[in-house]
Amino acid sequence: MPAGDGAKTVYAEQKDAAGNVKSLTSSISLDTTPPTVTGATYGGVYADTVTFSDGTATLNGLPYTSGSPISADGLYTLIVIDAVENTARLSFAIDRTPPVGTLSINSGALLTNQTDVKLNAASGEIGVQARFSNDNATWGDWKSLSPSIPWTLPDGDGLKTVYVQWKNLLGNTTDGSASITLDKTPPTVTGATYGGVTSQPLTFIFTEGTAALNGASYTSGTTINAEGIYALVVTDAAAR
């Protein structure tokens, strides 16, 4: 028969011994095209169902109806066979699971004295991106994950929360957040003023942190009796 799908007709003539001739025809439809499968490609990962144009199908060896929901995540092989045994075979994955990620600020620090920080966004899933927000409403652009993403906190001392959304290759998303306390206020020191001179013993009181007096450890409230020039450095937990 000539190539090309479609109706094909074969013509014949029969002739008997007396020379009588009879014309005959017979037709058949030629179909060399495998069924068309939509909704997935070979080796792809999807969050939806698949459909096929004609024939019958099995999914992982079980009968499958075109367009039926595939409820479980996993690896699948779809085999579709039409009426003349043309076969389409497709292996793919279904994934509706949101990505799992982690977020930390300044490597997990509890305090910072700067509004400019570094975010560490990570995920064990390939191709995940993240975007960030200071208010869980206004979001930045989607970014590739990195252990050192520049970010700016809103000004003003206090607890700051950075919100994150992770998105995988299929568009599945999940939310998260991380917090850090911004402290830009230096410790308060009483008992003397910068550059001051006195003839009386001095006692320094500071509200927080640790102190060094002329390089040696100093405890708040300790009296200084000896004459001399002194430099007191008080550092709080946020390194102010």
Side-chain angles (χ1 to χ4, degrees), residues 99 128-133 136 139 142 145 163-167 173-176:
V128 172
Q129 293 183 308
R131 63 178 184 173
F132 307 96
S133 171
N136 207 23
W139 294 90
W142 292 103
L145 302 188
Y163 300 90
V164 59
Q165 288 184 336
W166 289 279
K167 179 177 70 172
T173 61
T174 190
D175 300 332

Side-chain angles (χ1 to χ4, degrees), residues 12-138:
E13 289 184 342
Q14 293 179 335
K15 184 172 69 171
D16 62 16
N20 298 310
V21 177
K22 181 179 181 181
S23 296
L24 300 170
T25 62
S26 182
S27 297
I28 192 171
S29 181
L30 176 62
D31 179 7
T32 62
T33 304
T36 301
V37 179
T38 58
T41 58
Y42 191 88
V45 182
Y46 303 93
D48 211 338
T49 59
V50 295
T51 59
F52 50 90
S53 58
D54 59 322
T56 59
T58 61
L59 185 69
N60 286 0
L62 300 176
Y64 177 75
T65 301
S66 178
S68 297
I70 303 174
S71 59
D73 289 359
L75 300 175
Y76 291 91
T77 297
L78 177 71
I79 301 175
V80 185
I81 304 175
D82 66 13
V84 292
E85 298 190 352
N86 294 313
T87 301
R89 183 185 183 96
L90 193 66
S91 295
F92 59 95
I94 294 292
D95 179 8
R96 296 187 184 90
T97 303
V100 175
T102 59
L103 177 67
S104 64
I105 306 172
N106 285 357
S107 301
L110 299 178
L111 296 166
T112 180
N113 58 23
Q114 302 290 330
T115 55
D116 291 333
V117 295
K118 299 291 186 181
L119 305 180
N120 181 354
S123 174
E125 185 175 339
I126 296 174
V128 172
Q129 293 183 308
R131 63 178 184 173
F132 307 96
S133 171
N134 282 322
D135 58 7
N136 207 23
T138 302

